[in-house]
Amino acid sequence: MSEYIFDESLISTEVQDTLSSNLKLRPLAKDDFDKGIFDCLEQLSITGDISQKKFVERFEEMKKAGGYYTIAIEDEDQGKIVGLGTLFVEMKFLRNCGNAGHIEDIVVHDSQRGKNLGRRIIEQLKYLGKELGCYKLILNCNEKNIPFYEKCGLTVKDVQMTLY
Amino acid sequence: MSTLFSIDYISSEVQESLPKGYVLRPLSNDDYERGFFNVLSKRFNYMKARNDEYFIIVIVSPEDCIIGTGTIFIERKFIFNAGLVGHIEDVAIDKNHQGKHFGLSIIQALKYIGVKTGCVKAILDCSVKNIPFYEKCGFRSRCHENTWIVKPI
C-alpha cells in the first residue's frame, strides 16, 4: 500500500458513501505519478514537465512540512485519478493562534464532469477544515465559478490581487 | 533574541528607505514585550522549524515598539512546474504610523522575500477599498478573470 500525504482517518466516510462504488476518496499517495495525476492537473493549469522523481521529492517535502491535505478521487476500475483538491492549513498568530484553511487546486477530469465530484471534493475539504480547527476556509476562483462555490456554502468576500 | 528566519531575507533596500531609527527585521521570540500581543512560543517554534514557509516581518520604531507587520507564507505546488506561490497575509500598520509609507515598505519587503525564495507569483486578498494601495505596490486584480475570494458564512 502506498504512503499517503496525511492520515486516512481524516477521510469522511459520509462523503465516500456518496460516491459510486468504483470511486475511492483518499489522501494523495506517493505512487500517484503512475495514476495519471498530471493528466488531471493539466486540466487545471500549467504543470510543466515533472518527472516521477520530482513528484516524489515534492510529495516528501509537503509531507515533512505538514499542513498539506491533498485529496484524490481515484477510479479504481481504471487505476486513474479523476479528481483532486488541496486544503493548505496556514498557522496564524491572529485569532488566538488560529488556523486558516486555504482551498487550492480543485480539479475534476473532464471525463467525469457533471457527476457532482467537485462538490464532493469541497465537502471533504470542509470536513478536513473542521477537524483541523480552521476558523475559516478561503479560496480564489474565477467569476464564472462563483455559483458552484455558493452551492457549496461559501460566500463572496474580497478581491484577489496578483504579482508575477 | 531568536529570529523566525535569517536576516538574509531582509531587503537592505527597503531598510534604507525607512526613516532613521526604524528597523525592519524578522519576527523574534521576545516580540510580545514590544506589543506584538500574545506570541506563544509553541507557535513561534512551529513556524521557525518551517522557516522556508513562514516569513513574518516587523518594523520596530526607535522607541523599540512594533509599528507594522506582514507575513508571506510560501506554498509548495505540483502545478507551475512544481513551483512556489507566496501568500501575503496579515499586513497591518499601527494607526499612529499610517499614511507614512510603512505599508508600502512592508509589501516591498515581502515581495523581496517572494523573489528570493523563488515564487512564481505572490497573491493576496483585500477589500475593494484597498485595491488602489496594492495597485501602487505593483499588484493587479485579474480583471479579465475577475477573481474573488470566497469564504464560508
Side-chain angles (χ1 to χ4, degrees), chain B residues 15-61:
Chain B
Q15 171 64 71
E16 276 152 31
S17 73
L18 295 180
K20 193 165 172 210
Y22 285 81
V23 176
L24 172 73
R25 59 161 175 73
L27 186 70
S28 95
N29 67 345
D30 57 1
D31 271 335
Y32 68 91
E33 285 165 356
R34 297 187 181 86
F36 191 75
F37 68 92
N38 291 339
V39 169
L40 295 185
S41 61
K42 196 168 157 196
R43 183 136 292 195
F44 182 93
N45 291 336
Y46 179 94
M47 292 178 178
K48 189 171 169 129
R50 287 159 187 76
N51 65 4
D52 54 350
E53 281 191 320
Y54 287 91
F55 292 85
I56 303 177
I57 57 172
V58 294
I59 294 179
V60 187
S61 71

Side-chain angles (χ1 to χ4, degrees), chain B residues 4-153:
Chain B
L4 191 65
F5 59 89
S6 161
I7 59 164
D8 289 347
Y9 286 92
I10 295 297
S11 160
S12 48
E13 205 178 307
V14 178
Q15 171 64 71
E16 276 152 31
S17 73
L18 295 180
K20 193 165 172 210
Y22 285 81
V23 176
L24 172 73
R25 59 161 175 73
L27 186 70
S28 95
N29 67 345
D30 57 1
D31 271 335
Y32 68 91
E33 285 165 356
R34 297 187 181 86
F36 191 75
F37 68 92
N38 291 339
V39 169
L40 295 185
S41 61
K42 196 168 157 196
R43 183 136 292 195
F44 182 93
N45 291 336
Y46 179 94
M47 292 178 178
K48 189 171 169 129
R50 287 159 187 76
N51 65 4
D52 54 350
E53 281 191 320
Y54 287 91
F55 292 85
I56 303 177
I57 57 172
V58 294
I59 294 179
V60 187
S61 71
E63 298 79 31
D64 207 26
C65 279
I66 289 173
I67 61 92
T69 182
T71 298
I72 183 166
F73 81 79
I74 311 300
E75 180 205 0
R76 291 173 171 95
K77 296 277 202 200
F78 288 111
I79 59 174
F80 308 137
N81 216 4
L84 303 171
V85 171
H87 294 251
I88 289 179
E89 299 279 332
D90 305 336
V91 174
I93 304 295
D94 171 69
K95 60 175 179 296
N96 296 325
H97 286 80
Q98 284 174 12
K100 298 177 186 175
H101 303 298
F102 286 114
L104 180 65
S105 297
I106 290 279
I107 297 301
Q108 285 172 333
L110 295 177
K111 277 163 71 175
Y112 178 85
I113 295 170
V115 169
K116 193 156 175 147
T117 51
C119 291
V120 160
K121 63 179 180 178
I123 61 177
L124 59 91
D125 312 328
C126 70
S127 57
V128 169
K129 68 171 167 59
N130 288 330
I131 293 176
F133 167 72
Y134 288 108
E135 283 180 336
K136 278 202 208 102
C137 297
F139 287 76
R140 296 288 168 260
S141 61
R142 290 175 5 180
C143 297
H144 64 284
E145 284 180 331
N146 268 331
T147 56
W148 299 88
I149 309 307
V150 289
K151 73 166 213 178
I153 301 157

Side-chain angles (χ1 to χ4, degrees), chain A residues 63-92:
Chain A
K63 185 166 179 175
K64 184 171 177 223
Y68 292 90
Y69 295 86
T70 300
I71 56 164
I73 296 180
E74 181 186 344
D75 179 344
E76 288 185 311
D77 292 344
Q78 314 267 346
K80 286 258 181 268
I81 288 174
V82 294
L84 288 159
T86 295
L87 181 75
F88 175 84
V89 179
E90 177 209 354
M91 301 262 163
K92 292 216 181 264

